[in-house]
Amino acid sequence: MLTVAESRTTPTGWTLRAVVSAHAVAIAGQPVFAGVYLSGDYDGLSLHTAGANVVTSLGYVQLIVAIAVWVRLRQAWPFLTTAAVVAAETVQYFAGLDGTLWLHLPLGVMTIVAVAVQFIDVWRRPLRREEAGNA
């Protein structure tokens, strides 16, 4: 049984939660901006482009925080899952710039789902330092 102090999320864990939450909010706007564009409002494309820049930047910030979680809390899963999401977002970003919609659209759906799953996972349990035998 964990004590109250042991079950608390550390400041590093709270930082990861904050960045993942911002990432989730930003990525949720992307299909909305794409929909605005596809309904004939061409300003939606500039919103989608700006959103892509924000989402991609937040992904890389999340990667840095995930490295800190791995080092400080001895939990590798946030880094591994974030690295996969960032790789997918990077491919998706360049596929969008290239107009390769057959790749851009399904990869966009997958990255939104992946960030939503990360959001749920970082909020469902305390993010605390793992002991060597418990990791």
Side-chain angles (χ1 to χ4, degrees):
M1 179 105 179
L2 296 174
T3 66
V4 174
E6 291 172 332
S7 67
R8 290 192 183 136
T9 294
T10 66
T12 306
W14 279 105
T15 303
L16 180 65
R17 285 178 173 176
V19 174
V20 170
S21 297
H23 197 181
V25 169
I27 205 167
Q30 285 302 90
V32 175
F33 300 145
V36 169
Y37 171 66
L38 292 174
S39 17
D41 184 351
Y42 297 110
D43 291 335
L45 186 58
S46 63
L47 291 172
H48 188 66
T49 301
N53 291 331
V54 169
V55 167
T56 303
S57 297
L58 284 169
Y60 284 106
V61 169
Q62 184 177 321
L63 190 63
I64 292 166
V65 174
I67 291 168
V69 167
W70 191 2
V71 170
R72 294 182 59 93
L73 305 182
R74 296 182 182 162
Q75 294 189 32
W77 68 265
F79 171 75
L80 297 173
T81 58
T82 298
V85 167
V86 166
E89 283 178 344
T90 302
V91 170
Q92 190 214 8
Y93 184 91
F94 287 106
L97 287 176
D98 191 45
T100 314
L101 297 182
W102 64 267
L103 178 60
H104 183 72
L105 294 174
L107 201 51
V109 171
M110 286 188 283
T111 56
I112 290 168
V113 170
V115 173
V117 169
Q118 283 182 325
F119 174 82
I120 292 165
D121 207 24
V122 299
W123 282 97
R124 73 180 177 91
R125 61 181 165 195
L127 291 166
R128 64 188 183 332
R129 184 176 177 91
E130 291 291 332
E131 297 305 321
N134 297 338

